Amino acid sequence: MGTFEVKECNDTEVAKALFIEYSQIKGAEGCFVSFDKELADLNNFYKGGAILVGYENGKPAGCIAIKKSRCYNL
């Protein structure tokens, strides 16, 4: 087994490629309501949140994006 590490995304092209790969999985299409808008400006779409990329043996292997909720005043 190799190494796995998670880092904050500094390269939106890496995140975009992972998002696109995930969007092509059967059944995942419902997760992407405004996908084109999201891809066009990832930094602003997730402003106040985070995009994290997991690397396995130095290669991008997956990601997660967390968007700040507008529902709560924290």
Side-chain angles (χ1 to χ4, degrees):
M1 179 179 238
T3 61
F4 191 84
E5 73 178 311
V6 177
K7 301 180 197 177
E8 190 167 350
C9 182
N10 293 320
D11 185 349
T12 56
E13 293 306 312
V14 169
K16 284 181 187 181
L18 291 166
F19 278 37
I20 291 167
E21 182 180 342
Y22 180 74
S23 75
Q24 295 170 349
I25 296 172
K26 183 173 172 57
E29 59 277 349
C31 297
F32 298 96
V33 177
S34 56
F35 192 51
D36 292 336
K37 181 180 175 184
E38 186 174 346
L39 285 182
D41 195 2
L42 285 177
N43 289 329
N44 279 325
F45 197 83
Y46 290 99
K47 188 174 184 173
I51 301 173
L52 304 175
V53 177
Y55 294 85
E56 185 171 22
N57 297 322
K59 297 176 104 176
C63 67
I64 183 171
I66 303 164
K67 190 170 183 178
K68 184 177 179 180
S69 174
R70 297 178 195 192
C71 298
Y72 301 101
N73 292 329
L74 301 176

